[in-house]
Amino acid sequence: MRYSGFRVIKEALTGHKGWKPVWREPDPKPHYDVIIIGGGGHGLATAHYLSKVYGQRNVAVVEKGWIGGGNVGRNTTIVRSNYMLDGNEPFYEFSLKLWEGLEQDVNYNAMMSQRGIINLFHTDGQRDAYTRRGNAMILNGADAELLDADQVRAEHPYLNFDDARFPIKGGLVQRRAGTARHDAVAWGYARSADLHGVDIIQNCEVTGLRIENGTCLGVETSKGFIGASKVGCAVAGNSGRVMGMAGMRLPIESHVLQAFVSEGLKPVLPSVITFGAGHFYVSQSDKGGLVFGGDIDGYNTYAQRGNLPVVEDVCEGGMALMPMIGRARLLRMWGGVMDMSMDGSPIIDRTPVQGLYFNGGWCYGGFKATPASGYCFAHLLAKDEPHPVATAYRLDRFRTGRMIDEKGAGNQPNLH
Ligand SMILES: Cc1cc2nc3c(=O)[nH]c(=O)nc-3n(C[C@H](O)[C@H](O)[C@H](O)COP(=O)(O)OP(=O)(O)OC[C@H]3O[C@@H](n4cnc5c(N)ncnc54)[C@H](O)[C@@H]3O)c2cc1C
């Protein structure tokens, strides 16, 4: 079934009886060419591109819970490509270009809204750093614009300019950045993958990896053993756990990141805003809620809920940036488990185990990466070589010292 405006009108006039389930609920087959562990954004995007672009149809996505129940349905929905380093910027710009055509590609409304992002700066040194980043973006084919304080005030008059502890000196803007409806992204990719023959197997936890003579033969699951020629792991915050089943210790820590939504307000924020003097970012959802977040909780955990000190810290950041947020009531908050890599950049690579591939280390920036991550992981699984925009995301860079440390912060997850 194709979705269209005509279909919506037809269904509205005929009692909505013609809609079909968005994906099937198949039983696992004994063997697949490729099994992807994890039905989050990255796993489902991988299945979509593997089947649609690389023509592989004997593919399964194995998800321990339900589609969209992980970080893909828990994030603050920001998509952007405002990176600086060579290892990162071409990848994230490729991702943003895929976002721009995503809804047509998967025939699903992901509510992609290119409302822009502004990164505020508060010191002269920060202005220099943002100028350098903007130039690197432009050299890689992305868009970037530097605004001075008056230009920022004209676009965002509600920010605290006059008596701020950290005066706003300007901002780096990317107009093509914005937000997308996070769980619709998962559903869109799932639907498209299913249409191309991929089996999406929910409520099926991978409990072990069957490895013989250095080769991965398939996955042990709560629904029994499923054989595979290749197994790709895309489980975000559970990366350490699942790769531990292959005896691997990753350069990744799991931390919780919280998100917050206020009651619905009339349109007030025209774009995504990040505070440069603290860790705070905010946008407004199409329903009117202010969607915001800040730092990770500073301890290792697999729990999907956070602690009050970070709530206080995030609200302090919001109040310092835009005091009017103090008048809004907080409606909901939740947490997701982040796979924080030691240089803040991801991994898309083969592993020392034949037939076992890994995708992870997305930290708190993996939502924007979803299309490119899926595309590049599919490329790796299909061709056994890295996609040209993902060549830097090697697992062995932590051994060889070729870090992609975007912020120059070193191996401290809370600073990435
Ligand atoms: C609060 C919050 C805010 C964020 N904000 C942003 C943002 O604004 N912009 C941005 O770019 N990124 C953001 N992120 C990060 C982004 O959401 C993640 O990096 C990205 O979603 C991770 O990839 P994923 O979608 O595949 O993960 P997930 O959706 O978590 O998918 C992994 C899946 O693996 C499954 N799984 C785990 N173990 C097993 C197993 N043993 N067997 C089978 N299945 C298993 C899980 O159930 C899960 O569904 C945010 C994250 C959080 C939590």
Side-chain angles (χ1 to χ4, degrees), residues 40-42 63-64 71-72 75-76 78 206 364-368:
H42 293 227
E63 164 56 45
K64 76 171 174 183
N71 291 343
V72 68
N75 61 68
T76 42
I78 302 166
V206 170
Y364 27 47
F367 180 62
K368 71 176 94 67

Side-chain angles (χ1 to χ4, degrees), residues 212-385:
E212 285 175 17
N213 300 323
T215 301
C216 186
L217 303 177
V219 293
E220 309 284 355
T221 77
S222 49
K223 295 190 178 183
F225 173 74
I226 314 175
S229 306
K230 292 182 179 177
V231 174
C233 176
V235 295
N238 283 279
S239 295
R241 268 185 176 166
V242 175
M243 296 309 280
M245 297 171 191
M248 291 177 61
R249 273 199 83 199
L250 299 173
I252 287 177
E253 288 179 8
S254 289
H255 289 256
V256 71
L257 177 68
Q258 304 188 55
F260 309 84
V261 175
S262 78
E263 62 189 330
L265 304 174
K266 288 185 178 167
V268 55
L269 304 188
S271 76
V272 181
I273 303 163
T274 74
F275 182 33
H279 207 152
F280 179 80
Y281 40 90
V282 60
S283 64
Q284 188 165 20
S285 79
D286 292 342
K287 283 195 286 186
L290 301 183
V291 182
F292 54 96
D295 223 338
I296 51 174
D297 284 44
Y299 48 88
N300 297 356
T301 180
Y302 288 114
Q304 290 193 138
R305 56 181 301 178
N307 244 333
L308 287 172
V310 166
V311 180
E312 192 177 5
D313 183 66
V314 171
C315 292
E316 275 173 12
M319 290 294 289
L321 178 67
M322 38 190 285
M324 60 87 152
I325 203 172
R327 304 290 296 275
R329 273 171 295 206
L330 192 61
L331 199 65
R332 285 182 292 132
M333 53 193 273
W334 61 88
V337 186
M338 317 307 317
D339 39 341
M340 304 299 297
S341 69
M342 288 302 110
D343 61 358
S345 295
I347 298 158
I348 304 176
D349 204 358
R350 286 184 287 242
T351 72
V353 177
Q354 182 72 27
L356 180 62
Y357 300 75
F358 177 68
N359 174 322
W362 292 101
C363 303
Y364 27 47
F367 180 62
K368 71 176 94 67
T370 305
S373 164
Y375 205 113
C376 294
F377 201 34
H379 184 97
L380 178 70
L381 284 160
K383 295 184 175 287
D384 256 317
E385 60 187 41

Side-chain angles (χ1 to χ4, degrees), residues 61-85:
V61 176
V62 177
E63 164 56 45
K64 76 171 174 183
W66 67 95
I67 298 306
N71 291 343
V72 68
R74 293 168 180 267
N75 61 68
T76 42
T77 76
I78 302 166
V79 300
R80 56 186 172 88
S81 71
N82 52 2
Y83 284 71
M84 188 178 83
L85 296 183

